[in-house]
Amino acid sequence: MPDFTEYNHPVLAVACPTCRAAAGAWCHCPSGHRAADFHAARRAEADRQFIAQHGDLAAIIHAASGWLIDPRGRARD
Ligand SMILES: [Zn+2]
């Protein structure tokens, strides 16, 4: 299971279905240069796996000590 708090950005926890970047590696363009942003399919895959693992009310927060998962971060009163 991906660890969404392990890397500099939570999306890095999953591999990219578009450019085949491995978990922990940035997306790259077909030319081999580092992409300016993650591919949309990778963001969607990270979202999907995050929700599967933590539930659809969970959020991930960037705190001073790193990334934290708040199990009720998306709950609304
Ligand atoms: Zn990619």
Side-chain angles (χ1 to χ4, degrees):
M1 259 200 283
D3 179 355
F4 291 96
T5 65
E6 187 178 351
Y7 300 105
N8 288 337
H9 194 287
V11 171
L12 286 168
V14 300
C16 183
T18 302
C19 69
R20 308 275 172 210
W26 272 86
C27 281
H28 50 83
C29 304
S31 64
H33 291 103
R34 177 176 153 143
D37 204 351
F38 299 113
H39 289 113
R42 190 180 195 178
R43 291 180 174 278
E45 180 63 9
D47 268 2
R48 192 187 66 75
Q49 290 202 37
F50 183 83
I51 289 166
Q53 196 174 327
H54 297 288
D56 57 8
L57 295 181
I60 191 158
I61 300 157
H62 199 203
S65 58
W67 294 95
L68 299 173
I69 291 165
D70 177 351
R72 306 261 316 153
R74 289 190 208 178
R76 298 275 185 271
D77 290 328

